[in-house]
Amino acid sequence: MSRCTRARGRLRELREARSHWRADMERFRAAQRAARKNGGDPAAGHPGPPPTGFALLPWLLMGMGSFSNLLQGETPNPWIGGLGLFTFNSLYVYVTFRSFDRAKRESASTRVALLLMGLLTTGLGLGYGGSWLMFFPLLGLAAGATLRGPWLGRVGVLLAAYAGAVSGVRDEWGDATNIAYATFLSSMVTAAILGLSEAVRELRAAREELARQAVEKERLRFSRDLHDLLGHTLSVIVVKSEAARRLAPRDMDAALTQIGDIESVGRQALTEIREAVTGYREGSLATELTRARSALSAASVEPVVRRSGTPLAPDTEALLGWVVREAVTNVVRHSDATRCEITIGSTAEHVRLTVTDNGTGRAAARPAEGIGGTGLTGLTERLAAAGGSLRAGPSPRGGFAVTAELPVEPAEPAAVGAVTAPRER
């Protein structure tokens, strides 16, 4: 009963493999038809359907000579020969179908089946000779499909020598060379073709994964830039709108000045968003400091800016500009401060930016997990990628402090620095 169950299970596996092969072929043909319809190359960018054991089944025709001898009664003990032929074909199908799955072809059962094929081929070759010796090239083909790796060359040479020796002992030594050469060639060529096909598919999968990661990286860049740009710009517009509303009843000229600033900020925001979409935006630290003074003054916060040290590279200034923008936005929106100090100091090795305020310094809950890439969390990732760090939290002197440090020269990517108790944005 167990044998029947195993046989039914094996037939079920063959049917499933055949259905998968048909589905892959149909997808491949559909891709070819679509390429022809669009005027492209049908074979471009598509390696075709993945190979299966069905690709190696036609080689069983090499055993037709022995089958013909059985039908014509030229084989002694035909029942033994027929049973050996059936067993060899069954083992061949079992081994070749498992050779297209790395885990299965490296399993002990596959290796045992291949060894049984070798013993059976030896017995049939020594017992009958002639066309029965053609099972050795089939054995080499199964070995090449299964034993891929650094040991394949040695195994192929030994198997070819063994096949030639068995053929020479059973028949003439002249035919032994042909059997040995066919065995070696079938094992090497099969392994090379299947290995190359597998490598092409792995490279294609790696290329698709790299493309997917590039798309995700671009999406993250765009969402991060958009958050930082709009968060600061909208905060400035809100603050200046409130200032214009308060000034309008008593000082229309001052209110019109604030409205003009709103227009200027809006136009600049449109330009920055276009640059962010195309990926060519490079912030200027001097520009961000000027905007920070304007935003803080409009929010009735006294700005104090101190800068000293050596000139900075454009990339370093761009990163520090993002920090100034985000930190000042948080001061305007959350701090209730009356004074904000921005200090920039650089040496030959590193630069430090500190933004402190005299507000409440209240710590808010951390951003929800999985919402990375915005606010101080996104800035932390940016600075860490450049070898720097970002710290944020309540200041010992009261208020809130944001400190960013960067090497003057580009450094290797470092671990993402921790952000302590960031403000809610």
Side-chain angles (χ1 to χ4, degrees):
M1 184 65 180
S2 60
R3 293 180 180 178
C4 294
T5 303
R6 287 196 297 269
R8 285 196 296 267
R10 184 57 187 161
L11 288 175
R12 191 182 305 110
E13 290 180 2
L14 289 176
R15 292 193 190 99
E16 291 177 356
R18 188 164 181 264
S19 63
H20 290 323
W21 178 74
R22 283 184 171 179
D24 291 331
M25 287 295 296
E26 184 59 32
R27 285 194 293 269
F28 176 57
R29 293 192 184 100
Q32 284 185 317
R33 288 193 295 267
R36 293 191 187 97
K37 184 178 181 180
N38 296 329
D41 185 2
H46 201 299
T52 63
F54 289 101
L56 301 180
L57 288 184
W59 293 101
L60 284 175
L61 294 175
M62 296 175 64
M64 287 299 295
S66 58
F67 183 70
S68 176
N69 291 340
L70 283 174
L71 292 180
Q72 295 177 7
E74 299 177 359
T75 302
N77 300 318
W79 288 105
I80 296 178
L83 181 61
L85 180 62
F86 175 78
T87 304
F88 179 88
N89 290 342
S90 300
L91 289 173
Y92 177 87
V93 171
Y94 177 80
V95 170
T96 53
F97 270 87
R98 292 175 67 87
S99 65
F100 291 91
D101 187 306
R102 178 170 297 180
K104 290 183 178 179
R105 71 167 174 258
E106 294 177 355
S107 64
S109 59
T110 305
R111 303 299 169 87
V112 170
L114 189 62
L115 179 61
L116 292 177
M117 282 184 64
L119 296 176
L120 182 60
T121 303
T122 302
L124 293 175
L126 290 175
Y128 297 112
S131 59
W132 294 83
L133 293 171
M134 294 303 295
F135 287 148
F136 275 108
L138 285 174
L139 176 63
L141 190 149
T146 306
L147 304 176
R148 309 179 205 174
W151 290 93
L152 178 63
R154 300 178 186 179
V155 172
V157 171
L158 292 176
L159 184 59
Y162 179 74
V166 172
S167 179
V169 170
R170 181 61 179 81
D171 290 341
E172 299 179 358
W173 285 99
D175 295 335
T177 304
N178 296 330
I179 296 297
Y181 177 73
T183 302
F184 178 77
L185 191 65
S186 63
S187 60
M188 294 296 104
V189 171
T190 301
I193 293 176
L194 295 183
L196 181 61
S197 174
E198 190 173 272
V200 168
R201 294 183 180 281
E202 290 178 352
L203 289 174
R204 178 180 175 83
R207 184 180 65 180
E208 292 176 351
E209 177 63 20
L210 289 175
R212 185 189 64 80
Q213 292 180 359
V215 171
E216 289 187 355
K217 183 178 180 181
E218 181 63 14
R219 287 176 178 172
L220 177 62
R221 180 201 67 79
F222 179 71
S223 63
R224 187 163 48 194
D225 288 358
L226 196 61
H227 168 272
D228 295 340
L229 288 170
L230 293 182
H232 174 79
T233 302
L234 293 178
S235 296
V236 173
I237 290 175
V238 169
V239 170
K240 287 187 173 292
S241 299
E242 292 176 348
R245 177 176 53 80
R246 291 195 303 268
L247 292 171
R250 62 178 184 272
D251 191 345
M252 183 57 67
D253 292 337
L256 290 176
T257 301
Q258 296 293 334
I259 293 173
D261 291 343
I262 294 173
E263 181 182 2
S264 176
V265 169
R267 292 183 184 277
Q268 183 63 34
L270 289 174
T271 302
E272 290 180 346
I273 289 175
R274 294 190 188 101
E275 292 173 349
V277 169
T278 57
Y280 292 111
R281 183 180 188 276
E282 294 184 0
S284 169
L285 181 57
T287 303
E288 294 299 338
L289 291 174
T290 301
R291 295 175 182 171
R293 289 190 184 96
S294 176
L296 292 170
S297 299
S300 300
V301 179
E302 179 187 0
V304 179
V305 179
R306 302 185 182 94
R307 182 171 183 178
S308 62
T310 59
L312 303 176
D315 291 343
T316 303
E317 286 208 356
L319 285 173
L320 295 180
W322 283 114
V323 177
V324 170
R325 173 185 287 259
E326 179 64 24
V328 169
T329 301
N330 287 341
V331 171
V332 171
R333 295 173 59 184
H334 304 295
S335 68
D336 296 328
T338 59
R339 178 183 174 90
C340 177
E341 297 183 5
I342 303 174
T343 305
I344 304 170
S346 60
T347 64
E349 296 179 354
H350 72 280
V351 57
R352 173 180 294 179
L353 165 68
T354 304
V355 181
T356 58
D357 61 65
N358 63 350
T360 58
R362 290 180 286 106
R366 292 180 178 271
E369 185 176 356
I371 313 179
T374 59
L376 295 177
T377 304
L379 286 175
T380 302
E381 296 172 355
R382 294 191 187 198
L383 267 65
S389 63
L390 182 72
R391 298 187 303 275
S395 173
R397 298 182 300 172
F400 200 81
V402 176
T403 303
E405 294 187 2
L406 277 171
V408 172
E409 296 294 334
E412 292 294 328
V416 176
V419 177
T420 305
R423 294 184 189 275
E424 185 178 4
R425 290 170 300 283

